[in-house]
Amino acid sequence: MSRKLVLLRHGQSQWNLDNRFTGWVDVDLTDKGRTEAFAAGELMREEGLQFDVAYTSVLLRAIRTLNIALDAMEQQWIPVLKSWRLNERHYGALQGLNKAETTAKHGEEQVTIWRRSYDIPPPPMDESDPGHPRKERRYAEVDYNALPDTESLKTTLDRVMPYWVDRIAPDLKAGKTVLVTAHGNSLRALYKYLNKVPDEEIVKLNIPTGIPLLFELNDDLGVISYRYLGDPEQARLAAEAVANQARKS
């Protein structure tokens, strides 16, 4: 018996459009992002996917994407669980900065290291910054010391994995069909774990917005197969566009 898991990156956000490092900043979808979310739901409906449970982060762009996709599938009734552990990677002091301008200032090699390397985080956010998660009500119940001021992909995976082990994996092992709607880096972390991608190879992976990635897993949650739904060429071009975001204007 195979288990089905779909990873869905949120639709285009306003800061995706503005080419800014977003991280944990709570930015909404653009009109295009809403369209992408609905199209993702249509693709999942056409695939015949019947979800038993959905997971998302506590950030608006992921929650909005999930709700729109569920509307498109007419599966609004399924249980939805939200966790900060599925949040985007925290980009530290880079949050809010324009990616191309940051590249012009620090060089493409350094920005690529901050964006895509496995274990090198950007400079940390100052704890006095009003945008620090320790100052936000939504994280009031989270252990103070667990809230990041910057993250690498490695530390993002470290915080995602307990939620995978405690909540998502048990649902899959119970035979449930699961939808996870989250962010480029929290999903990259799960992709790395599921596909056993080497640390040095994960730098090349880019996940496009709004295109469902369907995994079929065995009883032990090993990967049988995975593919983007819809047109493979569209997914390839969308991933390429993500890779090019930090290049100089």
Side-chain angles (χ1 to χ4, degrees):
M1 175 181 170
S2 67
R3 274 82 170 142
K4 291 184 178 180
L5 166 69
V6 172
L7 305 182
L8 175 62
R9 185 182 176 187
H10 62 80
Q12 183 193 66
S13 74
Q14 185 58 50
W15 279 17
N16 291 146
L17 179 62
D18 296 343
N19 202 24
R20 297 167 74 180
F21 290 100
T22 311
W24 285 31
V25 180
D26 207 17
V27 179
D28 204 349
L29 300 179
T30 61
D31 288 343
K32 179 182 177 181
R34 289 175 167 83
T35 299
E36 287 178 335
F38 193 84
E42 290 184 314
L43 284 172
M44 291 185 283
R45 187 189 68 231
E46 291 165 5
E47 186 69 22
L49 291 163
Q50 297 289 324
F51 292 103
D52 298 296
V53 62
Y55 291 90
T56 187
S57 73
V58 296
L59 297 173
L60 177 59
R61 56 195 185 273
I63 297 168
R64 185 94 70 196
T65 297
L66 175 60
N67 290 340
I68 293 170
L70 291 177
D71 283 348
M73 290 185 283
E74 297 185 350
Q75 295 184 41
Q76 302 94 327
W77 55 271
I78 69 169
V80 173
L81 292 91
K82 303 181 183 75
S83 174
W84 70 277
R85 289 189 176 274
L86 294 175
N87 277 13
E88 177 59 293
R89 169 188 172 189
H90 195 293
Y91 272 105
L94 299 185
Q95 288 190 170
L97 301 182
N98 178 276
K99 293 176 183 177
E101 291 174 0
T102 304
T103 297
K105 180 178 180 180
H106 295 284
E108 188 168 341
E109 182 179 357
Q110 179 62 70
V111 174
T112 298
I113 289 170
W114 285 335
R115 289 185 72 219
R116 292 299 179 211
S117 67
Y118 181 57
D119 57 1
I120 301 175
M125 174 180 284
D126 193 290
E127 192 171 347
S128 65
D129 191 304
H132 198 290
R134 290 171 180 168
K135 299 182 184 299
E136 285 203 52
R137 179 169 168 256
R138 80 183 74 192
Y139 306 115
E141 301 302 316
V142 180
D143 180 354
Y144 183 89
N145 294 314
L147 292 170
D149 51 19
T150 186
E151 290 180 307
S152 64
L153 184 61
K154 181 181 185 299
T155 51
T156 302
L157 178 59
D158 289 343
R159 68 151 153 94
V160 170
M161 281 310 299
Y163 199 67
W164 169 266
V165 170
D166 293 341
R167 303 303 299 264
I168 302 173
D171 277 346
L172 288 164
K173 288 183 176 180
K176 294 181 179 180
T177 300
V178 176
L179 171 59
V180 178
T181 302
H183 307 266
N185 284 292
S186 51
L187 296 181
R188 266 206 316 153
L190 282 176
Y191 182 106
K192 182 185 191 304
Y193 168 75
L194 289 167
N195 283 322
K196 299 179 172 59
V197 180
D199 296 355
E200 64 274 10
E201 292 295 318
I202 197 64
V203 66
K204 302 173 185 175
L205 177 70
N206 295 283
I207 295 180
T209 57
I211 303 180
L213 179 56
L214 171 62
F215 282 83
E216 294 205 31
L217 308 173
N218 62 26
D219 290 350
D220 296 320
L221 305 189
V223 175
I224 299 171
S225 66
Y226 64 96
R227 61 185 169 90
Y228 283 105
L229 301 185
D231 181 0
E233 179 65 7
Q234 179 184 351
R236 186 190 70 79
L237 291 173
E240 190 175 279
V242 174
N244 291 335
Q245 283 176 346
R247 293 185 178 170
K248 297 177 184 179
S249 301

